[in-house]
Amino acid sequence: MFAELDDKTKALKETLTEFMGAYVYPNEAELLDESRQEGRWAHSALQRDLQAKAREQGLWNLFYNHGPEGQGLSNYQYTHLCETLGRSLAGPEIFNCNAPDVGNMEILSVYGTDAQKERWLKPLLNAEIRSCFAMTEPQVASSDATNIETRIERDGDEYVVTGRKWWTTGAMADACKVAIVMGKSDPDAPKHKQQSMILVPMDSPGVTVTRPLAVYGFQHPPLGHAEVVFDKVRVPTDAMLLGEGRGFEIAQGRLGPGRIHHCMRFIGLAERAMEAMCARAGARTAFGNRLSEMGGVRQVIGQCRTELEAARLMTLKAAWSMDRLGNKAARHDIAMAKIFVPTVTGQIIDRAIQVHGGSGLSEDFFLAMAFAETRFLRIGDGPDEVHREALARTELARGGATDNAA
Ligand SMILES: Cc1cc2nc3c(=O)[nH]c(=O)nc-3n(C[C@H](O)[C@H](O)[C@H](O)COP(=O)(O)OP(=O)(O)OC[C@H]3O[C@@H](n4cnc5c(N)ncnc54)[C@H](O)[C@@H]3O)c2cc1C
């Protein structure tokens, strides 16, 4: 099933690995310090400088395969690169491969009109602006997106958007100029045709970013996660994406690749955690023995390698299925990776924290932030239970028989 890596991807991976060694790891402490500073919503000069360098070296928009602004890589090819850039929490933004902008660029490329692409996609591909995706709402269980209450109502040649969103990643950033908002345009339509997605400029009257939210205390600047109120916000009708009632269709298209990109990054992050764990175990002595000589620690390391390899293979399989069968037919592979990889990589990072003792929880190491990152994905992009439920539905319908003949 897995092909040998082609020359183009190999060369890009080599350049990317060199870049990580030359520019990302040496600046990582400063970059992570920046991303721990509360209330810092501007991109730093260092981030901008590293983005410019990455772009010069052709390491830009690596995920993008809709035009000359990207590298035209398949999901399978990109998986290998995403693992490398995901080794650092600071990596994705440097290469313009970060959530939620990647998913939003995907939406605009696939579903946007020429005018929408010109206004929003172009500056996003150049990282001149940032964007956010506003679906989740505090007052309803948003893992079931049919619950969403935000209204998108037609009024002449405008739509009026009214609702409250939260966990809107990216909305805190000064550079965030547009939101893709999901809301109900027709509450009387069939269940999955009630919702639409619409582009809302963040400087529209009635848009208020009310507060930042933190994950285990990390606010993740400069993008952040925000609560945002849309109070009778008026946008022209040409801000509608794809058409009224087609929000679910777009959501499905967006979340597939997005989910798998997170898994790819987490493999890189967990590899890094394993390296840190082994280095630490080799360097510390307790009760007369190196930690690396203790049976308990050795068992942990062996278990981590086994689980990480399984996670990698599952991610590669999902990427391969997406390329061969399309996102819809690959949805079960995507769901399985989305359930398995964040859990397993989170456990690996947690074990690395344990081997580090108190320092594992401190800001001197990347591990605590990395753990928070993997933990969020067991809820973000749909909680594990929702994906298991979808898998179970299919399994029961076909009596548990595999469709894995491919
Ligand atoms: C760091 C972070 C970033 C995020 N970024 C964004 C973003 O940019 N844009 C955005 O719109 N949202 C974002 N989210 C929100 C995220 O997608 C939602 O939190 C998620 O979809 C769950 O919705 P909810 O919080 O309303 O949980 P609820 O829907 O209230 O679910 C709560 C729990 O109920 C259980 N549950 C739900 N359904 C089932 C089921 N079928 N079977 C069994 N148990 C079930 C699960 O345990 C679930 O965790 C982000 C979240 C976090 C933490």
Side-chain angles (χ1 to χ4, degrees):
M1 177 175 69
F2 300 129
E4 169 86 355
L5 256 196
D6 59 290
D7 290 344
K8 179 180 175 177
T9 316
K10 265 190 206 157
L12 275 169
K13 192 167 169 81
E14 222 166 88
T15 313
L16 184 58
T17 304
E18 277 167 24
F19 190 97
M20 295 290 289
Y23 300 111
V24 180
Y25 304 138
N27 286 303
E28 196 175 35
E30 189 174 337
L31 288 164
L32 293 190
D33 257 359
E34 286 174 358
S35 70
R36 285 189 197 101
Q37 289 164 17
E38 290 195 3
R40 193 189 61 78
W41 308 119
H43 284 72
S44 70
L46 176 60
Q47 274 177 314
R48 292 293 184 210
D49 178 47
L50 293 177
Q51 284 183 330
K53 283 193 169 68
R55 198 166 184 172
E56 264 164 38
Q57 297 201 20
L59 298 170
W60 193 246
N61 295 334
L62 295 167
F63 74 94
Y64 192 71
N65 59 10
H66 299 287
E69 300 86 351
Q71 297 282 352
L73 301 174
S74 65
N75 288 295
Y76 185 76
Q77 289 170 310
Y78 179 56
T79 298
H80 294 84
L81 303 178
C82 196
E83 176 178 336
T84 304
L85 66 87
R87 286 172 56 87
S88 172
L89 289 162
E93 267 226 87
I94 291 169
F95 305 101
N96 208 31
C97 291
N98 59 286
D101 296 298
V102 160
N104 294 343
M105 287 187 256
E106 193 73 25
I107 286 184
L108 286 162
S109 299
V110 178
Y111 306 108
T113 62
D114 287 346
Q116 289 167 344
K117 287 179 190 169
E118 185 63 27
R119 183 166 181 199
W120 303 118
L121 177 61
K122 237 181 174 177
L124 279 168
L125 285 164
N126 290 324
E128 289 157 6
I129 64 166
R130 299 288 78 183
S131 61
C132 60
F133 181 75
M135 182 162 79
T136 304
E137 299 178 355
Q139 67 279 12
V140 293
S142 302
S143 52
D144 175 359
T146 62
N147 284 338
I148 277 164
E149 291 177 345
T150 290
R151 290 301 317 270
I152 302 175
E153 291 167 291
R154 179 92 187 228
D155 182 21
D157 54 4
E158 290 179 321
Y159 283 105
V160 183
V161 182
T162 306
R164 180 182 291 270
K165 301 288 185 179
W166 77 341
W167 287 113
T168 312
T169 301
M172 292 307 301
D174 294 346
C176 183
K177 299 300 175 202
V178 65
I180 296 179
V181 180
M182 186 160 175
K184 272 191 182 161
S185 44
D186 182 2
D188 299 322
K191 207 172 173 189
H192 292 97
K193 300 278 180 200
Q194 297 178 4
Q195 299 78 7
S196 302
M197 283 196 199
I198 197 158
L199 291 156
V200 178
M202 290 298 279
D203 60 3
S204 310
V207 177
T208 312
V209 176
T210 49
R211 62 168 174 147
L213 295 153
V215 179
Y216 291 141
F218 297 116
Q219 285 190 344
H220 293 145
L223 299 184
H225 315 282
E227 181 163 331
V228 188
V229 172
F230 297 88
D231 183 14
K232 301 191 195 76
V233 181
R234 289 184 168 268
V235 288
T237 48
D238 62 9
M240 177 63 70
L241 278 160
L242 199 57
E244 274 188 42
R246 305 191 63 182
F248 257 93
E249 200 178 323
I250 302 174
Q252 291 313 315
R254 178 187 192 275
L255 291 179
R259 285 171 185 148
I260 214 70
H261 291 177
H262 282 306
C263 294
M264 297 167 181
R265 292 195 295 116
F266 288 176
I267 306 287
L269 210 49
E271 281 292 352
R272 192 96 183 282
M274 280 209 64
E275 287 164 23
M277 174 162 56
C278 291
R280 187 77 176 184
R284 300 277 275 200
T285 300
F287 304 102
N289 284 314
R290 294 238 173 241
L291 298 184
S292 59
E293 289 158 358
M294 295 177 174
V297 174
R298 296 170 77 90
Q299 287 293 311
V300 162
I301 291 171
Q303 185 64 20
C304 285
R305 172 50 65 204
T306 309
E307 290 174 0
L308 187 48
E309 209 51 28
R312 174 180 284 112
L313 290 173
M314 205 175 238
T315 306
L316 285 168
K317 161 83 187 309
W320 179 86
S321 297
M322 287 161 79
D323 292 336
R324 291 212 9 160
L325 311 172
N327 295 350
K328 194 169 176 201
R331 65 191 184 284
H332 299 310
D333 288 329
I334 297 171
M336 285 186 277
K338 162 71 176 72
I339 294 162
F340 189 73
V341 177
T343 302
V344 158
T345 52
Q347 278 166 1
I348 292 169
I349 293 164
D350 186 44
R351 292 175 192 140
I353 289 173
Q354 191 71 13
V355 169
H356 277 74
S359 43
L361 293 168
S362 76
E363 65 273 35
D364 292 355
F365 290 81
F366 70 98
L367 294 167
M369 271 186 115
F371 177 79
E373 185 76 3
T374 55
R375 185 64 186 86
F376 118 75
L377 205 66
R378 293 184 49 206
I379 291 172
D381 286 357
D384 292 354
E385 292 89 343
V386 174
H387 296 290
R388 281 197 208 100
E389 166 63 30
L391 284 171
R393 207 179 312 129
T394 307
E395 286 297 318
L396 289 165
R398 66 180 182 214
T402 182
D403 69 347
N404 232 350

